């Protein structure tokens, strides 16, 4: 399977980036085609007002590498793992801009929007977080927001890995061993049991075998 | 230290009860005085309208074991761990009634309410959950609600243990090994790093030593 | 249309009960068959362990009025509005028990569970809240939990009315005029625009006509 | 009083911008010094890795208007109202970047960080939202995140105005009349009753007079 891991921290060797790399390693170990990208390498700006900047042919005029990553890496991926530090109780602006700018391709004014919509559907998704603080709701908004995105796209939310750290590399000393958890998460990403039922979903009485 | 673990499932051998017992075991192993109680053993009904049922001397007239557990077990405890199955995306009605009925003692119409308020303040708190489903927000409301309770009481939210299961004993087979996690959570409950800062909280740059 | 409004506060003349009555009035004014019930009138206890108390014929053995209300009032209703005071950042234990005890009829061990499941599906749902405090997340857990219930049941979450008050009748003086809002909510309950899209939902570019 | 209203949509005449302008008008009508700014006018990029780009004198080297707005407008304001469209269940990346980049001044490596921290504390805050969808949790993550920010900064979360719309100007036709609500929100912003208690907060038994 193809998986895209997106590290959205401005720090390339920060805590969430270390966890993202561990997820990538786990995916590769399990035989998947896993790519780790850094948002700052290809994403240079915010969503704009499409009425101002969409070209006559329907293409987005923002000149950076987002178009290529979104169309050639995100859409074809079977799995997507977003890694972000928790800043002010939310995802990084980089990661948010990654989502916001899907609009340039997803909107009906983009000529191939129906292909884009098909490509956005049905992925397995995961979230990798780092934060200084430990109170459980520190991640509530990020997880809630991501959950809604996954459901909207008819995807499967595989799970969350959360390491605690502030200074670079701190997560390596986190007694909860998030680096190991991230590696395992990558390894099991495409096979892990993950459910989101509705009242008429048929399922077994036992969760485990 | 004294810890109260409250199992609030109607099943005495259900998944959250198994996790609660593991937390109790971990607390005991670390040398703490840990008690595991089952809500159904002492809590027989809902909060009523105090104007109807408070006695002339200010005591609650609901006749069950809640008064004794709340005053003699909950208030003196340094730590409180609530275990609940997630039913309909919330805590069990038993656990909710446990919280609701604090009002009978916490309200100003109870003669010793100021002692009660003192006793409710500053505990370490933990949450133990079981659920059939795995999507991360399945626990969002329970954790959010508990977090608010902990903050209101100026306590410390130590963390959450979450096992997946539906049939009795299912959590024993959960590959995430929640029984082991619950045991460890108990052992480390009074020493685990747990933070909830405000802008003027002085803290070190590194989370881990 | 048939609507059931459930007041789940132990106070019959409390703030959420006043709002519930206003919703009922609005529903009736719009020509709907609206019933207001008080949870304490028919719900006397918590969900138990079905393995202990289900009768040989599959019926629930808890003796109170829940069975009749659930089967004869809740299931046939096209709309359901739950009213609750926010106690400790959650719904009242009464309202939670109302949901928990659906299990006695929804579980496969109840002979007519497939009819029950059909009856639970597709309702319009609303939430009526009162709280002393005003910070917006005071209702976050209740709304989140209810939202998940509505989605699980493939229903439509029409909206929330929230009045602020503590002493009985306080909401009457709330400058946000929640009694009026509750009345209007009832009147518009079955016609109000309410959406919860997924990526492939076809919809107009304009929300309003 | 001084209030800063920040419109963070890329559309200058979009739905959240209309609501932001209505809040500004209400503030002015009540005699306050209210400024409405558009994020895209002064915020050109994301937070970077401070280790790479902080100047030797501790100043941030990102060259856009953020520094001036943050230091000269945000810090001195007694009230701050953030307006954002809900994109993918979160605030716009522009608004998130506004928060992320506080770090450049708030971090200890900025020479006057203690003044910055003082300036960030204790403001009244409000949130203005627009969204296409109406299901109540569409705003859950944004409100939750903002709530945490407000609490961290020991501020007061005055409330939320939420209009529904998708095409430009749609909110004008929203039967919930959010433009009027936004205007009123502005007018009452500095006097509106707003609470977030803890267990030992002394308060009256009645919320309203």
């Amino acid at each position: 399977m193809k998986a895209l891991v997106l590290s959205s921290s401005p720090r390339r060797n920060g805590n969430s980036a270390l966890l993202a790399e561990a997820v990538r390693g786990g995916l590769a170990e399990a035989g998947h085609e896993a790519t780790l990208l850094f948002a700052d390498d290809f994403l240079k700006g915010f969503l704009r007002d499409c009425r101002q900047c969409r070209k006559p042919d329907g293409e987005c005029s923002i000149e950076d590498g987002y178009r290529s990553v979104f169309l050639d890496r995100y859409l074809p991926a079977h799995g997507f793992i977003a890694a972000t530090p928790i800043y002010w109780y939310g995802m990084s602006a980089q990661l948010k801009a990654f989502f916001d700018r899907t609009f340039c391709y997803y909107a009906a004014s983009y000529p191939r929007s129906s292909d884009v919509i098909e490509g956005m559907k049905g992925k397995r998704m995961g979230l990798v977080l780092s934060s200084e603080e430990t109170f459980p709701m520190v991640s509530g908004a990020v997880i809630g927001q991501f959950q809604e995105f996954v459901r909207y796209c008819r995807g499967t939310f595989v799970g969350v890995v959360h390491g605690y750290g502030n200074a670079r590399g701190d997560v390596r000393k986190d007694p909860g061993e998030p680096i190991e958890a991230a590696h395992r998460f990558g390894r099991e990403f495409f096979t892990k049991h993950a459910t989101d039922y509705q009242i008429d979903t048929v399922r077994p009485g036992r969760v485990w075998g």
Side-chain angles (χ1 to χ4, degrees), chain A residues 2 11 16 20-21 31 50 52 58 81 83 89 99 112 115 122-123 129-131 174 195 201:
Chain A
K2 275 187 215 177
R11 293 181 182 174
S16 64
E21 169 53 27
C50 284
Q52 313 274 334
I81 296 98
Y89 316 105
F99 289 118
R112 290 173 300 285
D115 295 346
K123 293 185 199 306
L129 305 172
S130 67
S131 70
D174 179 345
T195 64
T201 310

Side-chain angles (χ1 to χ4, degrees), chain A residues 6-98:
Chain A
L6 178 64
S7 180
S8 70
S9 169
R11 293 181 182 174
R12 302 189 73 103
N13 54 353
N15 291 304
S16 64
L18 289 173
L19 296 171
E21 169 53 27
V23 171
R24 193 210 54 78
L27 283 158
E29 195 180 300
H32 302 294
E33 192 187 321
T35 310
L36 171 62
L37 296 178
F38 292 88
D40 282 330
D41 283 346
F42 63 88
L43 185 75
K44 304 297 182 185
F46 303 111
L47 175 68
R48 299 182 197 157
D49 184 343
C50 284
R51 204 173 280 185
Q52 313 274 334
C53 64
R54 198 179 284 278
K55 295 184 197 168
D57 64 357
E59 287 289 342
C60 173
S61 70
I62 308 181
E63 291 194 6
D64 61 12
Y66 180 80
R67 185 184 187 283
S68 161
V69 168
F70 181 64
L71 298 180
D72 305 335
R73 301 285 193 159
Y74 182 81
L75 292 184
H78 306 101
F80 175 64
I81 296 98
T84 181
I86 298 180
Y87 288 154
W88 299 116
Y89 316 105
M91 56 180 64
S92 72
Q94 279 90 332
L95 181 54
K96 189 57 190 5
F98 183 88

Side-chain angles (χ1 to χ4, degrees), chain A residues 54 103 105-111 113:
Chain A
R54 198 179 284 278
F103 185 74
Y105 303 95
Y106 158 86
S109 38
Y110 180 68
S113 65

Side-chain angles (χ1 to χ4, degrees), chain A residues 138-150:
Chain A
V138 76
S139 60
V142 187
I143 295 176
Q145 179 180 349
F146 199 75
Q147 176 87 61
E148 290 297 320
F149 177 74
V150 174

